[in-house]
Amino acid sequence: MEPAPLAEEAFGVLREVCAKIGVDARGARLLRLRSNAVFKLRGDTARGEMVVRIATAPDALTRLPVVVAVARWLADRGFPTVRPADEIADQPIVHDGRAVTFWRYVPSRGRPTTRQLGRVLRSLHREPVPPVGLRTLTDPLAEVRHAVEHRAEVLTAGQRSWLSDRIEELTGRWRDLDTGSPVLLHGDAWIDNLLRCQDGHVVLCDWDGVAVGPREWDLVHTYHGQRRFGLSAADVDEFARAYGSDLRLWPGYSTLMEVRDMYAVGIHIRNASGDPFSRQELPRRLDSLTRGDGHARWYMAAPA
């Protein structure tokens, strides 16, 4: 039997989990389907509006309790972050091997700027490491390696061989990088994970990649956004000024950009069997990587 498409499967998980805990899932709206299926629930007077995240990553069951704890800890300190929905007990909720978390909905308006992102990351990297069992980021390509090994049905034998060799090469180069002192990392500090509130302030969301590690990993996402996702040179310049340093001046910049390129392939290998957009985007990314094209445009959603 063909596996259910990811969106259909995620809706099923949402309905069953919400029914089990007494939350109304009628009218839920799918906001995003990438590393997580993200839904917005209709608000009610008792609970207010919530966002539900259904994780697809293979290590979500062990990682998400720490994710929820760190986000709550930061929110309690006044850091600009989304907050878990504390009235939903015992998060994450595990259902059929999926980890489900509930978060307060943040009404947003307009697009945040890379300057705002730079300022938020500068503040985050000055925070102490929270007193929870945070992982250390030692292998950013671990999930990509796992996807290559376990999603053979979406890759040719030649693609699997090339990806495996390339991942091992980049992993060795990553280990040789001369990075600064470890800090508290967001882990996926892309501008789409910054929400601009209606009063103009911004908050960080999507803490699934939170870890302790080199600050360069949080910074590279914006530079990579110019390389692949349409950010401008001016966007990157504003980000660097706001953060207070420019990653382009760091000797490990080229290697880190190549690692980030490979990292950005993993989600589409994992999702391609059940998500039409991933099936469309995966060949685009693999083709540019194997050709050594460092500036081919990639997409977060199907181009209009």
Side-chain angles (χ1 to χ4, degrees):
M1 179 181 295
E2 284 288 317
L6 283 179
E8 179 183 335
E9 180 183 342
F11 267 109
V13 172
L14 175 75
R15 287 189 290 265
E16 292 173 20
V17 169
C18 286
K20 183 165 60 177
I21 65 175
V23 172
D24 187 359
R26 291 175 299 176
R29 180 162 55 96
L30 181 63
L31 301 179
R32 183 187 297 182
L33 182 61
R34 287 206 290 267
S35 297
N36 297 271
V38 183
F39 294 91
K40 179 184 179 295
L41 300 182
R42 295 188 308 178
D44 59 47
T45 54
R47 293 187 173 95
E49 293 183 303
M50 290 189 292
V51 166
V52 185
R53 299 170 61 85
I54 301 173
T56 63
D59 64 344
L61 297 179
T62 56
R63 180 168 40 80
L64 279 176
V66 172
V67 170
V68 171
V70 171
R72 184 179 293 118
W73 181 84
L74 284 168
D76 288 343
R77 290 175 59 85
F79 184 84
T81 176
V82 294
R83 187 179 187 98
D86 291 330
E87 63 270 33
I88 306 297
D90 302 322
Q91 296 199 57
I93 296 169
V94 180
H95 179 82
D96 285 345
R98 293 294 186 90
V100 183
T101 53
F102 290 75
W103 301 80
R104 294 260 59 86
Y105 174 67
V106 177
S108 59
R109 181 177 61 189
R111 185 164 175 80
T113 66
T114 53
R115 178 185 299 180
Q116 290 173 309
L117 179 59
R119 288 173 176 167
V120 167
L121 289 181
R122 182 178 62 188
S123 296
L124 176 66
H125 295 163
R126 291 173 174 172
E127 290 283 348
V129 174
V132 297
L134 267 175
R135 69 188 179 101
T136 300
L137 180 68
T138 57
D139 184 3
L141 298 181
E143 288 187 7
V144 190
R145 186 182 299 105
H146 184 276
V148 171
E149 293 170 354
H150 293 86
R151 291 291 189 271
E153 72 277 8
V154 303
L155 299 168
T156 68
Q159 287 170 334
R160 290 184 67 199
S161 177
W162 185 88
L163 283 165
S164 296
D165 290 345
R166 180 68 169 157
I167 288 167
E168 292 316 301
E169 176 201 345
L170 290 172
T171 299
R173 289 167 60 189
W174 159 269
R175 290 172 180 154
D176 291 338
L177 290 175
D178 185 13
T179 57
S181 300
V183 298
L184 176 60
L185 295 176
H186 176 272
D188 190 15
W190 169 240
I191 195 166
D192 283 358
N193 288 328
L194 193 68
L195 301 175
R196 185 181 186 274
C197 303
Q198 294 185 345
D199 64 2
H201 290 87
V202 294
V203 298
L204 264 176
C205 66
D206 190 356
W207 291 90
D208 287 15
V210 68
V212 176
R215 71 184 69 238
E216 292 84 0
W217 183 245
D218 269 355
L219 302 183
V220 74
H221 292 68
T222 297
Y223 297 84
H224 189 253
Q226 181 189 359
R227 185 177 195 175
R228 296 297 191 188
F229 297 111
L231 290 185
S232 68
D235 290 329
V236 176
D237 291 342
E238 286 290 309
F239 174 82
R241 279 192 289 268
Y243 186 80
S245 65
D246 192 334
L247 193 64
R248 290 169 292 195
L249 304 177
W250 178 54
Y253 176 74
S254 177
T255 290
L256 192 56
M257 286 284 275
E258 292 178 60
V259 171
R260 186 65 184 82
D261 254 355
M262 182 59 67
Y263 175 87
V265 171
I267 180 58
H268 295 296
I269 298 173
R270 195 162 72 238
N271 286 356
S273 61
D275 174 37
F277 173 65
S278 284
R279 283 197 297 274
Q280 173 186 338
E281 183 68 6
L282 178 59
R284 183 198 322 273
R285 298 192 183 189
L286 286 178
D287 177 66
S288 54
L289 289 181
T290 54
R291 288 188 294 106
D293 185 347
H295 298 280
R297 178 66 190 269
W298 295 352
Y299 296 92
M300 294 289 191

